[in-house]
Amino acid sequence: MNQKGGVGKTTTLLNLAAVLSSANTNTASPEVPDQSSVLYVDTDKQASGADAVQDAADAAAQAEQMTRGTVLNGRNLATGESTGLPFDFLQATTPAEIRAVPAIAKKYRHTLVDTAGSFDDLSRSEAAIEIADFILVPMLAEQMSRKPTERTIETMIRPQVGDNFAIVIVNWEARNGHGELLSAVEWITERGYPLMNTTIRKWTLVSKKTICTVGRRTRPALEVLGEFQALAIETTQRGI
Ligand SMILES: Nc1ncnc2c1ncn2[C@@H]1O[C@H](COP(=O)(O)OP(=O)(O)O)[C@@H](O)[C@H]1O
Ligand SMILES: [Mg+2]
């Protein structure tokens, strides 16, 4: 969650959903599970999550390789059709639909809820916060990302759930050096906001809308995978 659009909420969450679902199918049983253990929920009225899911599914359909354990067994819960991805998909765009998610989530090991960029409709954001066990707040290292992040945390998240959230710095341009990153970390620490240890870098591969468990295992692809796996481990340690 972050009221600023374009910070990387959808991209980060889809990749997190991908590594969480492949981790779960990569276990003891050699049989392919027919049901995914991860549900991705899009709460955006503009269906930006649904579009991103479609892009990722198109990329997966063309891919030659998958990470071990990645099975494209996801279903769209509304239609029953395959999502072409390793996780299930649900669109929930009204507060009532969002509040109905926990009952559906019981069937899954992990449920990830994506929120819209702007808080045009506060009741939807409130519903999303209400049903959350833990809130991930993606932000950029850039200065301009601070105000919207602070506003999201102070006006929406903290009054409802206290410190049961963490910022994750995403889309970080490593080539520009560590200055900007360190300054962002300092800003976050000064405010006492919880911060994930994992930083997601800016990757051309990620911007191409392919989820990280799909595609050829080139060196950058493995590095991308490693970052999202690290984030997944940290998130599960924090209770999702
Ligand atoms: N780690 C990343 N590396 C490269 N591009 C990224 C990364 N994270 C996000 N992006 C790009 O940033 C843009 C906005 O991301 P998106 O996930 O749609 O943001 P939001 O859901 O917050 O509106 C997209 O073009 C996406 O491809
Ligand atoms: Mg989005």
Side-chain angles (χ1 to χ4, degrees):
M1 170 169 273
N2 192 320
Q3 65 184 183
K4 180 104 176 96
V7 292
K9 294 183 292 291
T10 300
T11 307
T12 307
L13 214 59
L14 285 180
N15 281 287
L16 206 51
V19 290
L20 286 170
S21 35
S22 64
N24 290 335
T25 53
N26 200 6
T27 46
S29 167
E31 281 161 43
V32 173
D34 55 10
Q35 207 219 299
S36 176
S37 57
V38 176
L39 173 65
Y40 165 82
V41 183
D42 180 25
T43 65
D44 185 2
K45 273 194 200 136
Q46 262 80 53
S48 63
D51 292 343
V53 160
Q54 191 56 55
D55 288 343
D58 291 345
Q62 286 166 22
E64 299 149 27
Q65 283 180 38
M66 314 270 158
T67 299
R68 211 175 132 251
T70 298
V71 186
L72 304 180
N73 59 356
R75 300 258 153 220
N76 181 324
L77 295 194
T79 63
E81 283 168 18
S82 168
T83 56
L85 292 172
F87 45 86
D88 286 0
F89 172 80
L90 176 69
Q91 191 92 42
T93 48
T94 66
E97 282 169 356
I98 294 167
R99 288 198 176 89
V101 168
I104 301 165
K106 284 196 185 121
K107 283 201 302 186
Y108 295 88
R109 193 152 340 159
H110 305 284
T111 297
L112 307 176
V113 179
D114 195 3
T115 57
S118 75
F119 285 169
D120 51 338
D121 180 353
L122 282 181
S123 57
R124 268 185 309 145
S125 318
E126 274 167 17
I129 294 173
E130 195 183 297
I131 62 160
D133 296 318
F134 178 72
I135 301 172
L136 207 49
V137 182
M139 83 174 273
L140 306 174
E142 279 94 326
Q143 190 114 22
M144 54 105 170
S145 198
R146 294 180 187 179
K147 272 269 149 2
T149 301
E150 187 168 29
R151 207 176 312 126
T152 306
I153 292 170
E154 298 298 345
T155 68
M156 300 290 309
I157 298 176
R158 268 190 162 165
Q160 259 181 277
V161 300
D163 274 353
N164 199 18
F165 73 94
I167 291 176
V168 54
I169 299 174
V170 298
N171 210 350
W172 173 55
E173 183 71 86
R175 277 182 305 191
N176 294 351
H178 282 73
E180 203 169 47
L181 181 65
L182 291 175
S183 148
V185 170
E186 198 177 322
W187 178 84
I188 293 162
T189 315
E190 269 168 16
R191 270 151 195 79
Y193 297 155
L195 172 66
M196 301 302 266
N197 293 318
T198 311
T199 296
I200 304 292
R201 279 181 278 173
K202 186 188 197 82
W203 294 99
T204 308
L205 267 177
V206 173
S207 69
K208 286 183 180 156
K209 320 287 180 202
T210 314
I211 54 167
C212 62
T213 54
V214 156
R216 290 184 51 235
R217 303 289 90 194
T218 59
R219 190 163 173 171
L222 290 170
E223 281 195 61
V224 172
L225 184 63
E227 285 184 5
F228 285 110
Q229 281 171 338
L231 184 61
I233 289 167
E234 254 196 276
T235 350
T236 48
Q237 280 167 351
R238 283 169 196 253
I240 74 152

